[in-house]
Amino acid sequence: MSTEETADEQDGAAVHGDILECILSHLPLIDLASSSSVSRGWERAVSSSISHFNALKPWLLLHFHPKSSPSAAAYDPRSAVWMNINYHSPIPPTAHLQSSHSSLLYTLTPSKFSFSIDPLHLTWHHVDPPLTWRTDPIVALVAHRVIIVAGTSVFNDEPPAVEIHDLKSNTWDTCEELPSIFAEYATAMWFSIAVDDNNLHVMHKTSGAVFSFDPIKKSWAGPFDMKPDPDVFSSIIGFAGGGMVIVGLLGSPEDVKSVKIYEVVVQFSECRKIGEMPKSFVEKLQGESAEMASIGMSSAGDFIFLHHGSDPVEVIQCEVVSGGDGGCRWGIVPNTVVDDRTRLRRLVFTSSNVGVEDLQRALRSESPQTTIKVKESDGLN
């Protein structure tokens, strides 16, 4: 028996098997990242604990860009804890941090396009800006291609079309075709987007019309009428539970009656309701705002995180249940980050599948140094 194997046995001598794994299941994932580095025995115990006792769940990340060092807050539903993330970022304080969908964080200036696609958004890529300068476009990542759609430009009478950046060749390409709806609604605020391995899907929030763009063929499909209910006045699109979902607000902005989640059963031809938010949660979501014209969504895996589109004081969590009768499990994300102080800043929401290896990689980083720790007080440092 090797010295390392003997050490592993000694490490596990005090606490064995299921007992150790059960204990580990109560620890936040950030602590498991350190525990799994103790020895091979502990690494196996951490992996087994995650597999059999308390599985990984996607994280919700709230990004801030203050004048000092950038920071983020991350919520792990698995442990129901918030964490502070502090890191060095090459993004200047004047840059406008944005995200069109759950996995992509970016800034766009006339001189540079910067984006981040890793789970914790600690690594940034910098490329030349698109050929046409535009403000508030739709920006999405499909496979290894970043797609920029529409937006407004003071230099062009016509709305900009589509530009595609290939991450492998580091080049920009263009597509002149653009659905006519973008002539009237040119900016990202009017749309919700979702991406799969091959296409960008864009939903007009008010009408429910969906258009799909294939970056390889450089062609659009649609519009598809995906308004799931006549009483829906605003809807957004995403992926959760292994399929495409639509979240709809029913009633009116001044009087939201219900929030429902629909599954797209057959691509852009049929959808069915799979869940409805409890009325008390709808009231939490709306908060003290006079109206709620839209909601924001971040999703990963089976989880959807919903917040008020313009006043995100509360975040509602929904787990889409796969198999059996399906449905949704609802919960409220503890509000220990968004308060009267932080809501004055621009909040950018993303959601990611974060694993032990992602955390170990972040904590091992020496340049720049990254710190992640369980949040102990209200607000961000």
Side-chain angles (χ1 to χ4, degrees), residues 42 67 72 89 132 144 171 191 219 265-266 276 300 306 311 316 379:
W42 278 80
K67 293 181 179 180
S89 171
T132 304
H144 61 276
T171 57
F191 299 94
S219 62
V265 181
V266 179
E276 181 172 0
L306 302 168
D311 191 17
I316 306 300

Side-chain angles (χ1 to χ4, degrees), residues 18 21 25 44-55:
D18 290 350
E21 294 169 13
S25 71
R44 287 193 294 267
V46 167
S47 178
S48 182
S49 176
I50 291 173
S51 299
H52 299 106
F53 288 92
N54 195 353

Side-chain angles (χ1 to χ4, degrees), residues 177-362:
E177 183 183 356
L178 196 65
S180 60
I181 193 171
F182 290 101
E184 183 176 359
Y185 305 99
T187 59
M189 65 174 290
W190 296 101
F191 299 94
S192 171
I193 75 172
V195 299
D196 55 29
D197 294 337
N198 303 303
N199 295 282
L200 161 66
H201 308 289
V202 182
M203 168 178 271
H204 182 235
K205 294 179 182 178
T206 304
S207 68
V210 175
F211 301 83
S212 293
F213 180 72
D214 185 328
I216 297 178
K217 297 179 180 178
K218 298 183 184 178
S219 62
W220 290 88
F224 306 99
D225 182 7
M226 295 306 296
K227 191 170 186 177
D229 187 296
D231 292 331
V232 170
F233 68 87
S234 180
S235 53
I236 53 179
I237 194 171
F239 282 94
M244 183 176 288
V245 296
I246 297 172
V247 181
L249 293 177
L250 286 78
S252 67
E254 299 78 18
D255 184 18
V256 179
K257 299 293 186 183
S258 177
V259 177
K260 296 181 180 180
I261 297 184
Y262 305 85
E263 176 188 22
V264 179
V265 181
V266 179
Q267 189 174 23
F268 306 130
S269 63
E270 181 185 351
C271 59
R272 66 180 182 88
K273 189 184 84 170
I274 59 173
E276 181 172 0
M277 185 182 294
K279 184 64 176 177
S280 60
F281 287 16
V282 177
E283 294 171 355
K284 279 276 191 181
L285 187 67
Q286 182 147 9
E288 298 179 359
S289 301
E291 63 178 42
M292 185 164 59
S294 65
I295 54 177
M297 174 172 68
S298 296
S299 62
D302 295 336
F303 278 73
I304 298 171
F305 299 98
L306 302 168
H307 62 271
H308 192 295
S310 58
D311 191 17
V313 176
E314 298 286 352
V315 178
I316 306 300
Q317 169 186 306
C318 174
E319 181 181 4
V320 178
V321 181
S322 303
D325 295 331
C328 299
R329 298 191 187 103
W330 297 93
I332 296 179
V333 175
N335 184 0
T336 62
V337 172
V338 181
D339 54 24
D340 290 339
R341 178 169 60 91
T342 57
R343 67 201 273 196
L344 295 177
R345 311 183 199 175
R346 178 178 174 81
L347 301 177
V348 181
F349 292 74
T350 62
S351 185
S352 303
N353 290 305
V354 178
V356 171
E357 291 183 357
D358 297 310
L359 292 170
Q360 289 177 331
R361 194 177 303 114

